[in-house]
Amino acid sequence: MLFRSLQLQNTAYSVNIKERLDFSCALFDADGNLIANAPHMPVHLGSMGESIKTVIRENRGRMKPGDVYVLNDPYHGGTHLPDVTVITPVYLDDQGSGDPVFYVGSRGHHADIGGITPGSMPPFSRHIDEEGVQIQNFKLVEAGALRESEMVSLLSSGRYPSRNPSQNMADLRAQIAANEKGVQELRRMVQQFGLDVVQGYMRHVQDNAEESVRRAITRLARRFGHQTQHSFTLPLDNGARIQVSIQIDPDKRSAKVDFTGTSLQQDNNFNAPRAVSTAAVLYVFRTLVEDDIPLNAGCLKPIEIVIPEGCMLSPQPKSEEHTSELQ
């Protein structure tokens, strides 16, 4: 994972990725569950799995070796539009028999993806188009051939297109290269240890993370004694509020995080996609773990997260006149 991160950092064009290190690389299993990651942006890593699962769901049975997909859609695992995710299915041979065995992904904050202000993070946007170009499950590379003209055409489309598509393409090439490095390393690992051993260890990594979080929950239960439920309300400056109830089950060593009562999605851009909200919960519980483990999907297994649809932590697409933006 470190090699992939260095490759992306060294080959990227924009300052955001090369110097500010606003990017993440990660490995996922055949179902799109996070296995391991490079230690960069927690909100990227906790949410990227939803993007992987979107690609799996919408392309099942049609993916082939050499295909690469790109998306930034906040309603399908994205964060905000400048964070562009590149996903490469991993086959262990060039024939591509069966489904991909793994997936590798890289997410980078592009300097501009369009929108009403340079940088694609307008403070007063009220519709997703005002942040830039929304990319939904686009095939960036087909059978090893970069679909550059099609991608540039997409970046140049919409009400507020990208201001510098050539810069976007340079960073996308870097992300493709970083993913390819991950594919090569995975193939080398499987060749050395065997697929059964690699997949078994990936399951072990998730099981170990699950147990580590359960131990952290047990420590919380001991600290708070018989008081197993706690509720908090955070009033925001704009009159909205975030409400959360945390219930700990000491017998099952599990926790329920319930955001019921949080304000409805806002008509401005002060909302968070469900994937980002989930990533925030995941990261908090990861910080409670005292063991040296990689952040992965196993950390979420002991945690039930309830986020009502239509609240500001899980906004839904609306008509053009009323769609609230995601930032």
Side-chain angles (χ1 to χ4, degrees):
M1 219 49 63
L2 177 60
F3 293 130
R4 286 181 55 205
S5 294
L6 290 174
Q7 181 143 347
L8 179 51
Q9 178 184 349
N10 291 336
T11 57
Y13 179 87
S14 67
V15 172
N16 277 349
I17 297 176
K18 182 177 288 294
E19 297 184 19
R20 201 164 60 80
L21 305 183
D22 193 348
F23 71 92
S24 299
C25 297
L27 163 66
F28 302 83
D29 65 16
D31 297 320
N33 299 310
L34 177 64
I35 299 297
N37 55 266
H40 279 140
M41 307 297 290
V43 74
H44 286 184
L45 297 163
S47 60
M48 207 189 306
E50 291 303 315
S51 295
I52 306 291
K53 291 175 182 178
T54 295
V55 168
I56 295 173
R57 183 177 61 252
E58 298 188 5
N59 301 282
R60 192 181 301 277
R62 300 194 305 273
M63 290 181 282
K64 299 178 181 179
D67 290 349
V68 180
Y69 299 86
V70 59
L71 69 165
N72 68 351
D73 181 9
Y75 299 108
H76 293 91
T79 50
H80 56 176
L81 295 187
D83 284 341
V84 180
T85 305
V86 174
I87 299 165
T88 304
V90 180
Y91 295 87
L92 299 181
D93 56 61
D94 294 331
Q95 284 69 44
S97 54
D99 295 325
V101 183
F102 313 107
Y103 295 85
V104 291
S106 57
R107 175 172 288 176
H109 184 125
H110 285 226
D112 186 273
I113 199 73
I116 57 177
T117 61
S120 310
M121 296 179 63
F124 303 112
S125 58
R126 305 181 72 88
H127 188 275
I128 197 164
D129 287 347
E130 295 177 339
E131 274 197 7
V133 178
Q134 191 172 2
I135 306 168
Q136 302 183 37
N137 186 40
F138 183 82
K139 186 180 286 188
L140 178 60
V141 179
E142 185 169 15
L146 177 64
R147 302 179 68 219
E148 182 168 5
S149 60
E150 292 88 346
M151 189 67 208
V152 170
S153 177
L154 175 58
L155 291 167
S156 303
S157 67
R159 293 167 58 189
Y160 306 99
S162 171
R163 293 167 177 82
N164 194 345
S166 62
Q167 183 181 73
N168 296 122
M169 290 305 305
D171 284 339
L172 287 172
R173 287 190 184 93
Q175 291 179 254
I176 294 169
N179 282 8
E180 180 59 28
K181 179 65 174 176
V183 173
Q184 294 172 5
E185 292 298 326
L186 278 168
R187 286 180 173 176
R188 187 175 294 113
M189 186 186 302
V190 170
Q191 185 176 11
Q192 180 176 355
F193 298 105
L195 180 59
D196 290 342
V197 172
V198 172
Q199 289 180 325
Y201 188 76
M202 289 182 175
R203 289 190 293 270
H204 166 72
V205 167
Q206 292 186 74
D207 292 342
N208 182 57
E210 176 186 355
E211 178 60 26
S212 296
V213 172
R214 291 195 188 278
R215 285 198 295 266
I217 291 173
T218 298
R219 288 194 297 271
L220 284 178
R222 290 172 180 168
R223 178 178 178 181
F224 292 109
H226 297 293
Q227 189 179 2
T228 58
Q229 183 165 343
H230 305 264
S231 297
F232 307 90
T233 301
L234 175 65
L236 303 176
D237 292 344
N238 62 358
R241 70 176 185 179
I242 296 176
Q243 185 165 314
V244 60
S245 172
I246 303 171
Q247 184 172 350
I248 298 173
D249 188 327
D251 296 326
K252 295 181 179 179
R253 299 192 301 160
S254 63
K256 180 179 181 180
V257 181
D258 189 348
F259 288 97
T260 299
T262 295
S263 295
L264 296 177
Q265 64 189 82
Q266 305 294 291
D267 289 331
N268 49 39
N269 62 12
F270 206 66
N271 300 290
R274 172 180 287 270
V276 169
S277 305
T278 301
V281 173
L282 170 61
Y283 185 67
V284 168
F285 277 88
R286 171 61 185 88
T287 62
L288 297 175
V289 173
E290 297 177 351
D291 306 310
D292 184 14
I293 62 170
L295 182 73
N296 63 65
C299 296
L300 274 178
K301 291 182 180 179
I303 307 168
E304 179 186 358
I305 303 175
V306 178
I307 310 176
E309 289 191 359
C311 78
M312 63 185 298
L313 301 181
S314 181
Q316 303 300 301
K318 290 188 175 181
S319 66
E320 185 165 341
E321 292 78 14
H322 299 97
T323 298
S324 60
E325 188 41 52
L326 308 170
Q327 192 105 301

